[in-house]
Amino acid sequence: MEVQVGKYTLESLTTGMYSDPKIVFREYIQNCVDALENAVHMGIIEKQSMRIDIIVNEEESLISLRDNGTGIHSSEAKSMLMNVGNSKKRNSNNRGFRGIGRLGGMSYCDTLVFTTSAEGEKCKTVITYDCKKLRKLLVPGEYEDLTLSAVLGEITTIELLPEKREKHYFLVEMKEVSGSSDLLDIEAARSYICQVAPLSYQGRHFIYISQLKEYLHDHGYEVEEFPVFVGENESDLEPVYKPNKSRFRSDRNKKTVDEIYSMSYFDITIDGELYALGWYGNCNWNGFLSERKISGFRLRKGNILIGDSKTLNGVFKEARFNGWTQGEIFITTDKLVPNARRDDFEQNEAYYQLIEALSNGVALDITRAIREASRTRNDPSAKALKDVDKKVSEATAFVVEGFNSSIDKERIVKELTETANKLEKIKVKDEFESKKNILKEKVDEVIEQVSESSNYKINKINSGIDKKSKHMLKTVSDILSKKLSKFLVDEIIDEIITELNGK
């Protein structure tokens, strides 16, 4: 007997699959990313030419996502885009691999259009889904004899249209997007995309980028980053970055500004196999991070977010402590497979081993740090040593990430020297005496490192400007450092470097 798949399966694979409409952005972005990686691998584009453009236009009720990846050949487009749950992609090297994510947009618009062209073809394939008609066909009690395949046939049109031979792209368009969802709220879209997509960090806000990437590289992992631009139309597209910040606010006091003064890195290795690499920022642990975009450990595979900020609440004995944390965990093993909804991983043996390792490792370390921070706030001598340790960590980060200017470097040496003098005068309890002595050595060591370092941010400019121009920029940096606050200078210098490097 022939097995028939009923039409209501389509509803389960669209509206029923996702709890948040914005998840459609993630589904389409991960397909864009796979296409871009394939295009680079095949030599169609250079890595620096990769691009994903996302338009969210409330006035036109339109959402579109376009990449300049491989595209799909016209001979394969129909089978690849109309087959349901039958993707040729495999988990080992693709983020989207189940063949159902592309249907996600059907629930939130009247018309869903896929347009694609592959390099070397003179045509493009346009597949259009009439989602308004789909909803009519799925009304309970109506058209009960239709199968899933028949429904897709009823609502789909396929066209081959002329295209330039050199073009290669994939374009998703959601037209007449439903106003009942918040998909057309461009700021909400940006907020979601910056947390979910495989983006780069923004140097002006997160100063530990080089240090983090060096750690990952040393452990054999290269974090995948892709340029994503979001705007209301093609003329106002702006780049989106991960939201991680070195300075942020916490809920202990609405006016309290906290900051990461050092980074902790960790690996999860089980039975000799690396399962994950991670980081979290050491701060004053004042409370829940006010900015929800950065609070909580984020699980990532292929640098795409799996789950959300609360997914790892369960690894902490006190779930609230996850919200006090800013950090990421990069999954490195194929044994951990994202589930169909991407709200967690398939709960296999590897998953339970990961959760156990996190619960008995990094979650306990963070809990101890939070408890210690609370005690330190009530102990003057412990607080004084903590402040010294913080200064040392900040200076060490500058040695790795680079100084804004020679003035900036001199300021740090001066602050460290003053810190060393204060440390000599600090009277601590006997239990803290050994820590004080260790800090004395660390301060002296870091003063020497800073004094000898020639690592300036301006040196990161790779656009090939001449020596005279670079010298002029160093002079400008010195002047800015004399007149403006460090954090404002950080933003200006990082913006100059970004613009000159053409990012």
Side-chain angles (χ1 to χ4, degrees):
M1 183 178 68
E2 182 181 352
V3 176
Q4 292 190 338
V5 180
K7 65 177 183 176
Y8 297 113
T9 303
L10 196 56
E11 190 171 27
S12 299
L13 293 176
T14 53
T15 308
M17 180 68 73
Y18 308 119
S19 59
D20 182 356
K22 290 190 293 296
I23 289 175
V24 300
F25 287 114
R26 184 196 62 204
E27 295 299 327
Y28 292 134
I29 287 171
Q30 65 189 14
N31 286 330
C32 291
V33 166
D34 288 339
L36 289 170
E37 281 192 331
N38 289 337
V40 171
H41 178 72
M42 295 168 64
I44 295 173
I45 58 173
E46 298 293 328
K47 192 170 184 178
Q48 62 268 25
S49 300
M50 298 187 302
R51 186 179 178 104
I52 300 172
D53 291 342
I54 301 175
I55 291 174
V56 181
N57 192 306
E58 184 174 15
E59 185 176 344
E60 296 182 13
S61 298
L62 171 70
I63 291 173
S64 72
L65 296 90
R66 181 187 182 108
D67 68 70
N68 62 335
T70 52
I72 303 175
H73 284 276
S74 57
S75 60
E76 300 177 327
K78 181 179 177 180
S79 60
M80 289 184 67
L81 296 175
M82 291 193 66
N83 283 347
V84 177
N86 190 31
S87 174
K88 293 181 180 179
K89 294 182 181 182
R90 292 295 174 262
N91 173 46
S92 59
N93 60 354
N94 288 288
R95 293 158 184 82
F97 62 92
R98 297 180 187 272
I100 57 178
R102 63 178 172 272
L103 304 178
M106 287 184 171
S107 300
Y108 307 107
C109 63
D110 286 352
T111 308
L112 178 65
V113 185
F114 297 146
T115 305
T116 184
S117 181
E119 186 180 46
E121 290 195 309
K122 291 183 178 181
C123 63
K124 60 184 176 183
T125 306
V126 182
I127 297 181
T128 303
Y129 293 94
D130 186 339
C131 305
K132 193 173 183 179
K133 184 176 182 180
L134 170 64
R135 288 191 283 275
K136 181 180 178 181
L137 295 178
L138 292 181
V139 172
E142 302 285 341
Y143 310 100
E144 291 293 336
D145 58 330
L146 290 178
T147 63
L148 183 148
S149 180
V151 167
L152 287 175
E154 285 282 334
I155 67 170
T156 307
T157 59
I158 303 175
E159 298 177 278
L160 281 181
L161 300 175
E163 184 57 280
K164 295 179 180 178
R165 186 184 292 272
E166 67 272 14
K167 294 287 187 178
H168 51 90
Y169 61 89
F170 193 94
L171 170 66
V172 180
E173 294 174 287
M174 295 171 59
K175 299 179 179 181
E176 297 90 40
V177 175
S178 169
S180 61
S181 70
D182 63 349
L183 284 172
L184 292 171
D185 182 338
I186 192 167
E187 291 310 316
R190 279 198 181 99
S191 177
Y192 179 82
I193 292 165
C194 77
Q195 296 176 68
V196 169
L199 305 170
S200 58
Y201 305 93
Q202 191 168 21
R204 72 177 71 174
H205 295 310
F206 190 62
I207 66 171
Y208 297 96
I209 300 173
S210 297
Q211 186 186 118
L212 169 58
K213 289 186 177 180
E214 183 178 349
Y215 168 80
L216 296 174
H217 175 77
D218 289 347
H219 286 75
Y221 182 80
E222 301 297 332
V223 61
E224 304 97 331
E225 298 175 342
F226 297 83
V228 177
F229 299 80
V230 178
E232 293 185 346
N233 48 63
E234 290 186 4
S235 63
D236 74 343
L237 290 167
E238 294 182 355
V240 184
Y241 302 93
K242 280 187 179 180
N244 300 98
K245 291 184 176 183
S246 304
R247 288 171 61 83
F248 50 88
R249 294 183 183 275
S250 63
D251 281 346
R252 180 172 175 265
N253 182 322
K254 295 298 182 182
K255 295 182 179 180
T256 296
V257 176
D258 203 349
E259 62 184 304
I260 296 175
Y261 60 82
S262 70
M263 298 275 277
S264 285
Y265 302 103
F266 60 92
D267 68 274
I268 303 295
T269 301
I270 299 171
D271 296 332
E273 180 179 349
L274 182 66
Y275 272 42
L277 294 166
W279 68 269
Y280 64 88
N282 293 299
C283 56
N284 292 315
W285 305 106
N286 289 321
F288 197 95
L289 305 192
S290 300
E291 292 187 62
R292 300 302 190 262
K293 289 189 293 187
I294 63 174
S295 68
F297 262 128
R298 307 300 175 106
L299 277 169
R300 294 184 176 274
K301 189 167 187 183
N303 205 12
I304 292 264
L305 183 69
I306 306 299
D308 57 25
S309 63
K310 299 179 181 178
T311 299
L312 288 180
N313 278 5
V315 304
F316 291 84
K317 289 184 177 179
E318 293 188 54
R320 64 193 178 103
F321 286 163
N322 187 34
W324 294 39
T325 308
Q326 181 179 179
E328 295 175 296
I329 298 172
F330 299 97
I331 301 301
T332 59
T333 177
D334 289 332
K335 290 181 179 178
L336 289 160
V337 182
N339 64 26
R341 295 180 303 279
R342 303 297 200 280
D343 60 1
D344 208 335
F345 288 88
E346 297 286 359
Q347 297 192 13
N348 55 20
E349 181 62 26
Y351 174 83
Y352 293 121
Q353 289 177 318
L354 173 72
I355 296 301
E356 182 180 8
L358 291 172
S359 299
N360 296 330
V362 65
L364 287 180
D365 292 339
I366 290 173
T367 299
R368 291 191 194 102
I370 291 172
R371 299 295 185 203
E372 182 182 349
S374 178
R375 289 193 296 271
T376 297
R377 280 191 283 270
N378 299 312
D379 187 318
S381 59
K383 186 176 185 304
L385 294 180
K386 184 82 170 181
D387 290 342
V388 173
D389 195 21
K390 182 178 172 183
K391 284 287 185 186
V392 170
S393 298
E394 288 173 346
T396 302
F398 277 112
V399 172
V400 175
E401 301 297 333
F403 305 102
N404 287 327
S405 65
S406 59
I407 302 297
D408 198 28
K409 175 181 169 179
E410 291 169 7
R411 175 186 59 79
I412 293 169
V413 171
K414 182 180 178 182
E415 287 179 357
L416 284 171
T417 303
E418 291 173 352
T419 297
N421 293 334
K422 289 178 182 178
L423 185 58
E424 286 288 347
K425 300 174 183 177
I426 293 175
K427 293 183 179 180
V428 298
K429 296 177 182 177
D430 291 343
E431 61 188 287
F432 295 120
E433 194 63 45
S434 62
K435 185 173 183 178
K436 177 181 176 179
N437 292 331
I438 292 172
L439 279 175
K440 283 181 182 178
E441 294 180 6
K442 283 179 68 175
V443 172
D444 291 339
E445 182 181 328
V446 174
I447 288 175
E448 184 176 351
Q449 289 176 353
V450 173
S451 299
E452 295 179 355
S453 176
S454 58
N455 185 18
Y456 293 95
K457 288 183 180 179
I458 294 298
N459 295 334
K460 295 180 181 179
I461 296 173
N462 55 27
S463 59
I465 65 172
D466 56 44
K467 289 183 179 180
K468 184 177 180 180
S469 298
K470 188 167 282 191
H471 178 73
M472 182 180 69
L473 284 171
K474 287 183 177 180
T475 303
V476 170
S477 300
D478 285 346
I479 294 171
L480 290 174
S481 295
K482 289 178 181 178
K483 302 292 184 179
L484 303 175
S485 71
K486 172 194 168 304
F487 298 105
L488 187 55
V489 177
D490 278 343
E491 291 210 10
I492 294 171
I493 298 301
D494 287 334
E495 185 67 29
I496 290 173
I497 294 171
T498 299
E499 288 296 322
L500 288 176
N501 284 338
K503 294 183 179 178

